[in-house]
Amino acid sequence: SFIMHFIYASTALLATATLSIAAPAADVVGRKTFQVAQVAHGTVRKNGPIQMLKTYEKYAKVGAQAPPSVVQAARAAQQSGSVAANPEENDQAYLCPVNVGGTTLNLDFDTGSADLWVFSSLMTKSEQAGHSIYKPSSSAKKLQGASWNISYGDGSGASGSVYADKVVVGGVTATSQAVEAATSVSAQFTQDQDNDGLLGLAFSSINTVQPQQQTTFFDTVKSSLAKKLFTVDLKAGQAGTYDFGYIDSSKYTGSISYVPVDDSQGFWGFTAGGYSVGSGNSTTSSGNIGSAIADTGTTLLYLPTSVASAYYKKVRGAKIDNQQGGYVFPCSSSTPDFVVSIGGKPFTVPGKYINYAPIDQSGEQCFGGIQPNTGIGFTIFGDIFLKAMFVVFDQSTGSPRLGFAQQ
Ligand SMILES: Cc1noc(C)c1CN(C)Cc1cc2n(n1)CCN(c1cc(N)ncn1)C2
């Protein structure tokens, strides 16, 4: 009865609040009424037991306890799922099949940005060539007046209009997700015919839709997931997985080490500690790496210039080649392991991952997987680092956190 009283009270409160919002503001001069189109977006299939469980959780502090029947029904309705992360050539990016409004598109899941944008029928035929295309389906609702425009660290970018449509990732369904349909994309994207767009997994605070910012897929489905988290298990030269709503303990070794996340810039930001170059006794180690982000949408590992320099001192013939835009070295040189301390635990990037790829067909010079973070302003733990780890992007506790384990 305590809880039912609370629910009645809060519902009554909500009702009065709604009434006051509906009364037109005094300053709307001249017109008797006005319309506000409410387009439902950022929603999942409604479920009573899940909503009830949320209410019990909300009032757990004052003794509310969900009956087992509610817990069981909510658990049965909660979502979880897994999708393959397929590497492009040289593991430049990893693409995941996603059903957007009835069409399967291969999207780059990006924990460094927060827009779900796709190649669309609104683009010119030549720009569409070779890509799978989103055609707003009959179930799609155009968000009138909404637009988006995103640019990335490498100068690439895209822009367009916005629809609310059904999006399914590994069986996890957002019944109405903001789908940003491109009208124009930069050359880097038209050239990459494997890539049909991006699915942002950073915080929705950096979503670029205007005038009304939209939520990421994860934020849209979060409340319906068994656990409010997703995990990233990228691999070198083979398919990995993104899992939503659960942790698969067969995907990592040892234990998961959690660190707090600073989401003030909209990224999965964390603090990295000391580092060492090489394995066994031939290691050098030095100061703290400092603030960093975990970014699946960035290919390489961008470290403070002093750290990158200390690393390449251990690689025969390594030098900065300004034409290539970073450290290169003879492909025949061996590259040592790179070890970084996170949450007080050591995590190793195998040296072979740091020989990224030959700079040209001759195969003489190779481009480094570790590069300086010059001009970026923070350290980016991109795919070179992530493909050695199992990472939990966790919003299941009061504040966001990252969990790292070796895979
Ligand atoms: C270049 C390049 N880099 O990665 C890929 C993939 C490519 C090739 N190509 C498909 C073009 C391209 C450029 C970008 N992407 N794709 C993915 C998003 N980008 C990011 C994301 C992010 N979090 N941080 C920085 N950029 C830039």
Side-chain angles (χ1 to χ4, degrees), residues 88 91-95 108 110-113 117 151-157 186-193 195 197-198 267 293 295-299 302 380 383:
E88 285 191 333
D91 296 350
Q92 180 178 68
Y94 293 80
L95 300 169
D108 179 357
D110 180 8
T111 60
S113 65
W117 72 261
S151 53
Y152 300 102
D154 65 345
S156 63
S186 66
Q188 293 100 328
F189 287 105
T190 36
Q191 282 155 15
D192 181 358
Q193 300 198 342
N195 181 328
L198 264 79
F267 299 124
I293 68 169
D295 183 0
T296 57
T298 287
T299 312
Y302 294 90
I380 302 182
D383 300 338

Side-chain angles (χ1 to χ4, degrees), residues 22-108:
D27 62 349
V28 179
V29 179
R31 291 165 53 202
K32 294 275 179 293
T33 62
F34 67 102
Q35 288 293 322
V36 177
Q38 297 278 351
V39 175
H41 50 268
T43 58
V44 287
R45 193 168 287 113
K46 293 184 177 23
N47 180 273
I50 286 183
Q51 291 314 317
M52 283 187 76
L53 189 63
K54 275 172 76 171
T55 302
Y56 282 108
E57 282 167 356
K58 190 174 168 184
Y59 296 108
K61 289 187 285 291
V62 291
Q65 246 184 345
S69 59
V70 170
V71 173
Q72 192 184 3
R75 199 161 289 161
Q78 282 168 338
Q79 301 196 81
S80 63
S82 178
V83 67
N86 302 303
E88 285 191 333
E89 189 186 1
N90 297 326
D91 296 350
Q92 180 178 68
Y94 293 80
L95 300 169
C96 309
V98 176
N99 191 297
V100 182
T103 305
T104 297
L105 305 180
N106 290 316
L107 304 183
D108 179 357

Side-chain angles (χ1 to χ4, degrees), residues 111 229-234 241-244 246-248 251-253 256-259 261 268 270 293-296 342 347 381-383 385-394 401-407:
T111 60
L229 59 83
F230 63 91
T231 68
V232 178
D233 178 20
L234 302 181
T241 50
Y242 284 82
D243 297 345
F244 290 84
Y246 71 104
I247 292 177
D248 180 344
K251 293 186 174 176
Y252 61 89
T253 59
I256 299 175
S257 162
Y258 286 95
V259 291
V261 159
W268 290 89
F270 67 101
I293 68 169
D295 183 0
T296 57
I342 301 173
F347 292 94
F381 282 77
D383 300 338
F385 172 81
L386 296 170
K387 63 186 161 185
M389 310 297 158
F390 175 86
V391 187
V392 187
F393 291 73
D394 187 341
R401 61 180 188 166
L402 278 169
F404 293 94
Q406 208 80 50
Q407 63 167 289

Side-chain angles (χ1 to χ4, degrees), residues 170-181:
V172 175
T173 299
T175 46
S176 177
Q177 168 65 36
V179 175
E180 302 172 32

Side-chain angles (χ1 to χ4, degrees), residues 11 61 81 118 124 142 150 201 219 254 275 314 325:
T11 313
K61 289 187 285 291
V118 291
T124 63
K142 186 172 172 29
I150 195 161
L201 291 169
D219 276 349
Y275 67 95
K314 299 278 186 161

Side-chain angles (χ1 to χ4, degrees), residues 192-325:
D192 181 358
Q193 300 198 342
D194 303 336
N195 181 328
D196 302 321
L198 264 79
L199 186 141
L201 291 169
F203 291 83
S204 299
S205 59
I206 56 173
N207 172 268
T208 74
V209 174
Q210 292 186 341
Q212 201 180 16
Q213 195 170 54
Q214 300 297 310
T215 53
T216 64
F217 172 79
F218 176 60
D219 276 349
T220 300
V221 301
K222 194 166 58 180
S223 61
S224 70
L225 292 176
K227 289 183 180 173
K228 295 178 180 59
L229 59 83
F230 63 91
T231 68
V232 178
D233 178 20
L234 302 181
K235 291 182 178 297
Q238 56 178 297
T241 50
Y242 284 82
D243 297 345
F244 290 84
Y246 71 104
I247 292 177
D248 180 344
S249 55
S250 72
K251 293 186 174 176
Y252 61 89
T253 59
S255 61
I256 299 175
S257 162
Y258 286 95
V259 291
V261 159
D262 163 16
D263 63 359
S264 60
Q265 305 305 309
F267 299 124
W268 290 89
F270 67 101
T271 299
Y275 67 95
S276 65
V277 178
S279 46
N281 50 15
S282 71
T283 64
T284 61
S285 64
S286 184
N288 276 358
I289 286 175
S291 63
I293 68 169
D295 183 0
T296 57
T298 287
T299 312
L300 305 181
L301 170 50
Y302 294 90
L303 295 169
T305 48
S306 57
V307 182
S309 163
Y311 180 83
Y312 285 110
K313 276 203 179 56
K314 299 278 186 161
V315 178
R316 180 180 51 80
K319 65 184 189 317
I320 289 186
D321 174 337
N322 287 317
Q323 249 193 341
Q324 293 297 320

